Amino acid sequence: MSREDQARQFAETAARQSYGKLVALLAARTGDIARAEDALSLAFAAALAEWPKSGPPATPDAWLLAVARRKLIDETRSRQVRNLASDHLRLLAQEMEDAMEDVPDADIPDRRLALMFACAHPAIEARIRAPLILQTILGFDAAAIASAFLISPATMGQRLVRAKTKIATAKIPFRLPDTPELADRLDAVLEAIYSAFALGWADASGGDARLGNMAGEGIWLGELVAALMPTEPEALGLLALMLHAQARRPARRNESGDYVPLAAQDPALWDVTLIDRAEALLYRAGAMGRPGRYQLEAAVQSVHAARRISGETDWQAIEHLYDALWIVTASPVVALNRAVAQTQTRSVTQALAALDDLAHDPRMAAYQPYWAARADLCARSGDIAAADAAYQRAIGLESDPAVRRFLQKQQARLLRN
């Protein structure tokens, strides 16, 4: 790799790793997320143009922050020219110039948590809070976020723009709220953290540069919230859930890079240290007597983890936990997972009937796990044509090459028999 390519790769990596931290700091100064994002995008572009020629700086975050601040100052001065009577713009420009000195990366304050809770402010429409956190903290575009929340990219883009405008016009402060307000905003923050973790965890091979170490970032943010709110059982439950899932990461691909479904994974490959941490967190949360979504989902993973000791999976317990989750969330994904569990506790006919109940939900039309589950159940019921059609749909919807190959093998095996 040439020096220029190495510098460019370094710039791209720094951009991915620093995005949320720098947006949070810039937005805290300007009170405007969109302006902060625009300035940082220009700084990233400058890095991609400059670093291959000059080499990356010793403090890349500080370099990016300084360039982004200059862009904001230039824009502020331009606005001053158009509106000379604007005292607050002049003061803002002066404040930012006073802070322009280069500082070591380690001295740049991390205000991501404050930005997350600002995005979860009651003035922001409830359904857009978690997506807004995902975009501002992790830099995902509207299309990627829309996919995670099962809505169209255009709709998601419009909602995100409106939310950022609301934060600027309402002058929502970028700070951690007082304790009573924290609990009111917690759901959106936890949902965003889990969505970030899920996006990274889904890339088991680590081949998608956009996702980077997103699962690790999600766990880190979960640790922050759990430390901030140690008496909130759902914060502990979410961290337990993520640790349980992360513990199985080494077993999700074999030596050839092929996808290995949970039922076929070797428990000896699971990370026992992460499982033990997850179990301890789940125990602490359960002792508080306030069950919720993340504690229940973590409990499902705890049942799966017990297979490393018992050698068996207690599917009856998993079905009961999904029953409870359905009451809490009424989520079609929960209903799908419950139907999958019922393939072990009830008849294939009953499980298929449960899937049929979901068929009219438009969100399932583009949801790969629904079609993969339907293909498996149709195959087990002897309906080869329906199974083949469902496999085709699942394969077409799957973006992970390893999972796609797994589905194709399942389909080929079906047609050979």
Side-chain angles (χ1 to χ4, degrees), residues 45-85:
L48 288 171
E50 180 65 26
W51 293 0
K53 293 181 291 185
S54 63
T59 55
D61 279 11
W63 191 97
L64 289 165
L65 181 61
V67 174
R69 281 173 168 166
R70 289 191 190 101
K71 301 297 182 185
L72 283 169
I73 290 169
D74 289 345
E75 184 211 0
T76 300
R77 284 173 171 162
S78 176
R79 293 170 67 187
Q80 282 181 290
V81 169
R82 295 192 300 269
N83 183 8
L84 294 176

Side-chain angles (χ1 to χ4, degrees), residues 99-281:
M100 279 294 296
E101 313 85 37
D102 240 11
V103 294
D105 288 357
D107 293 338
I108 297 176
D110 195 330
R111 297 181 179 171
R112 280 180 286 186
L113 203 56
L115 177 56
M116 291 172 72
F117 278 94
C119 292
H121 192 279
I124 305 299
E125 189 178 2
R127 63 183 176 179
I128 200 61
R129 292 172 194 167
L132 181 62
I133 292 169
L134 267 180
Q135 187 172 73
T136 56
I137 296 295
L138 302 171
F140 278 97
D141 59 28
I145 299 170
S147 176
F149 287 86
L150 304 180
I151 67 171
S152 76
T155 300
M156 179 61 73
Q158 292 167 357
R159 291 176 182 175
L160 288 167
V161 169
R162 286 198 300 267
K164 291 173 190 177
T165 301
K166 179 70 174 180
I167 287 175
T169 57
K171 294 182 172 33
I172 292 173
F174 291 82
R175 61 171 178 78
L176 287 177
D178 297 331
T179 301
E181 296 175 282
L182 279 173
D184 293 338
R185 305 188 197 183
L186 183 62
D187 284 349
V189 170
L190 296 183
E191 184 180 5
I193 291 173
Y194 187 41
S195 297
F197 172 82
L199 286 167
W201 191 77
D203 181 38
S205 66
D208 190 336
R210 294 178 311 148
L211 300 180
N213 187 32
M214 205 62 68
E217 282 287 293
I219 290 173
W220 183 81
L221 290 169
E223 297 269 16
L224 277 184
V225 177
L228 178 69
M229 309 177 76
T231 60
E232 283 293 337
E234 279 292 82
L236 303 181
L238 173 60
L239 184 54
L241 170 60
M242 294 189 294
L243 291 174
H244 262 308
Q246 189 74 347
R248 296 201 303 271
R249 194 180 188 97
R252 296 176 63 216
R253 296 288 188 271
N254 64 19
E255 293 179 354
S256 302
D258 293 327
Y259 168 72
V260 182
L262 175 56
Q265 288 176 12
D266 179 0
L269 297 176
W270 296 345
D271 188 323
V272 177
T273 301
L274 292 182
I275 291 174
D276 288 345
R277 281 194 64 209
E279 291 293 287
L281 286 163

Side-chain angles (χ1 to χ4, degrees), residues 367-379:
Y367 191 54
Q368 182 271 91
Y370 172 82
W371 294 102
R374 188 167 196 87
D376 178 61
L377 288 175
C378 287

Side-chain angles (χ1 to χ4, degrees), residues 25-32 35-36 69-77 79-80 86-100:
L25 187 59
L26 292 166
R29 286 187 172 277
T30 64
D32 190 323
R35 287 185 65 209
R69 281 173 168 166
R70 289 191 190 101
K71 301 297 182 185
L72 283 169
I73 290 169
D74 289 345
E75 184 211 0
T76 300
R77 284 173 171 162
R79 293 170 67 187
Q80 282 181 290
S86 182
D87 291 336
H88 76 277
L89 287 176
R90 184 168 59 255
L91 290 172
L92 175 61
Q94 184 60 54
E95 177 193 354
M96 296 185 73
E97 286 192 75
D98 291 344
M100 279 294 296

